[in-house]
Amino acid sequence: MKPLLVLMLVAAWNAGAASDTTRAASLRLVNPYPSTGPLEISGSAPANKALRAMQAHAAPPLTDLVSRALQQSLAYALDTPVAVVRRAKRGGAEALEHVALVPDGRTLLLAGSDVIIVRNLLTGYDWRRDIKPVALIARMPNVLVGMPHGSDVRRVVESGIARSKRTLASSGELASSHLAGALFIRATGANIGHVAFNGAHSALRAVVAGEVTAAFVPLPAFLDYVRNARLRPQAIADDVRHPSLPDLITLSEAGLPSVSGAGWYGLFAPYAMPAQLINRTASIMAAEQDDARFSASMAQAGLRVERAKGPAFSNLIETDYGRWQAYLQARPEFAIPPAPEN
C-alpha cells in the first residue's frame, strides 16, 4: 500500500469518525460466527430446523482467520486498536441487531453470504433496513471433487454420463456448496441425489470411501486433502481459476457458465453510518486488498480476494439473493416467509 494514500485515507476516516464524541477508543469488528460448535438458535420460526442444519456445518477457524486478517489490516491502516467482538447467538441475528443499534461510526460487521442471504430468506428478516454493504472482502469458491472413475466434468456435460443414478454430497444443508450442487444438477439434467453432510470434511471422507459419487465442498476444506491421491478435483465453481490450484478448470470452462455457487465474506456498517464514512472505510479496505500480503494470506486459506464496494457489492448480494430465493421457493419444506413490506 502506498504510504501517502494510507495517510490521506486515515486522516479522512478519523475526521469523519471524530465527530461522534461518545465513540469508544477502538474500532469494533463484530463476528457473527462461533469459536466452536454450531450457532445457537431459539424461537419457534418454521425455519429453525433448516437453520440448525445450515449452521451445523459452519467452519469457525476460517471465519476467525478472516476476522483476524481484517483486524490486523484495519489496525495498521487506521493506527488504532481494533477489537473483534463475537455475537454468535440466534443464527447471526444477535450480530445484526448489535450492529444496527450502535451507529457510532466505530462498529463494523464481518458476515458471509450464509448470514446475510440464506438466514434472512428463511426468517423473512430484511437486512437492508439495518445495515449497509461496505466492501466485499473475498470469495469462497466450491470445488467439484470425485465423479466416476475415468470420467471428467467435460464428459459429464458433453455425454450426459451423470444421467445414471448417482449421489452428490455437499458440506451441509443450505451451504454454498449445496447451492453449487443444485445449480450443477439443473444445468446438466443429471439424475443425482443430494446428500448433505455435517461439514466439508465429512463429505470428503465419504467421497474417499466411495459412499457418494462426488461432492461440492468449499475450497479451504479441499486444500486440507489436496495431497490425497484418491481425491480427484474436477473443476472449481467460480468465475476464475484459483491461484492455489491454477491448473484446475472452472465449471464455466467446462461448459457450465451458470454454475458458480461461491460463498463470500463482506464488511457491513450500521444503516445510520454516514455514506461519506462508509465510502472512506471502503477505500481503506480496497487499499488493503491491493496489498500482496493480504491477498496471499487469503489465497493460502482457500479464499479469493475480490473488490466490490457500494452499489457493486449491493448488486452482487441481490444477484445471489435471487438465486437462493428461486431455489428455496421450489423447496416447500423450507417454508420461506413472504418478503417484508418496505
Side-chain angles (χ1 to χ4, degrees):
M1 190 188 310
K2 297 179 180 179
L4 180 59
L5 175 61
V6 172
L7 290 174
M8 293 172 62
L9 291 172
V10 171
W13 199 95
N14 286 333
S19 60
D20 186 350
T21 57
T22 64
R23 65 180 174 86
S26 65
L27 177 69
R28 291 181 295 277
L29 180 63
V30 178
N31 183 347
Y33 300 94
S35 56
T36 57
L39 300 182
E40 176 187 326
I41 302 172
S42 60
S44 57
N48 272 2
K49 182 177 179 181
L51 283 170
R52 287 192 181 92
M54 177 185 77
Q55 290 149 357
H57 61 75
L62 180 61
T63 55
D64 282 356
L65 181 148
V66 176
S67 64
R68 284 196 299 270
L70 290 180
Q71 180 185 33
Q72 294 169 3
S73 297
L74 290 170
Y76 176 80
L78 297 171
D79 192 25
T80 188
V82 177
V84 176
V85 180
R86 199 179 300 278
R87 294 286 186 270
K89 294 181 180 179
R90 292 180 287 119
E94 182 191 25
L96 291 167
E97 293 169 2
H98 177 77
V99 173
L101 293 174
V102 286
D104 55 6
R106 305 291 294 185
T107 301
L108 298 169
L109 169 70
L110 166 68
S113 49
D114 54 346
V115 168
I116 298 298
I117 296 177
V118 180
R119 183 199 175 278
N120 293 323
L121 274 171
L122 291 173
T123 61
Y125 171 76
D126 188 0
W127 61 271
R128 304 171 191 84
R129 297 176 304 186
D130 293 332
I131 59 175
K132 291 180 179 178
V134 176
L136 174 66
I137 304 301
R139 292 269 196 176
M140 184 178 68
N142 286 286
V143 178
L144 176 61
V145 180
M147 300 306 294
H149 179 71
S151 70
D152 59 33
V153 70
R154 286 192 176 96
R155 286 188 61 201
V156 170
V157 176
E158 293 169 1
S159 65
I161 193 172
R163 288 180 174 81
S164 57
K165 182 64 176 176
R166 303 186 188 280
T167 51
L168 181 65
S170 72
S171 60
E173 193 79 66
L174 303 183
S176 62
S177 57
H178 180 178
L179 179 61
L183 294 173
F184 178 82
I185 291 171
R186 185 173 66 183
T188 60
N191 182 20
I192 299 179
H194 171 243
V195 181
F197 282 82
N198 185 15
H201 292 88
S202 297
L204 287 166
R205 285 193 292 269
V207 176
V208 172
E211 298 172 3
V212 296
T213 309
F216 274 100
V217 295
L219 179 58
F222 173 74
L223 291 178
D224 292 340
Y225 283 77
V226 75
R227 292 184 176 87
N228 190 323
R230 291 182 294 174
L231 272 179
R232 183 181 181 188
Q234 293 287 343
I236 190 166
D238 199 5
D239 299 328
V240 297
R241 297 191 184 192
H242 195 274
S244 296
L245 297 170
D247 296 329
L248 185 62
I249 64 170
T250 67
L251 283 173
S252 180
E253 292 176 89
L256 298 174
S258 62
V259 184
S260 57
W264 47 259
Y265 293 105
L267 201 59
F268 296 82
Y271 189 85
M273 183 179 282
Q276 187 178 17
L277 188 53
I278 290 177
N279 292 336
R280 290 167 182 159
T281 306
S283 296
I284 290 173
M285 197 63 248
E288 284 298 308
Q289 288 174 301
D290 284 340
D291 190 315
R293 292 170 297 180
F294 183 85
S295 295
S297 67
M298 294 294 102
Q300 187 175 10
L303 303 176
R304 176 174 64 81
V305 169
E306 182 174 331
R307 289 174 54 173
K309 61 180 182 179
F313 188 21
S314 295
N315 290 340
L316 182 152
I317 296 172
E318 294 300 337
T319 298
D320 282 358
Y321 202 91
R323 291 198 303 172
W324 268 114
Q325 187 175 44
Y327 175 71
L328 293 177
Q329 284 177 337
R331 300 284 299 275
E333 67 269 29
F334 292 125
I336 299 182
E341 296 182 1
N342 294 327

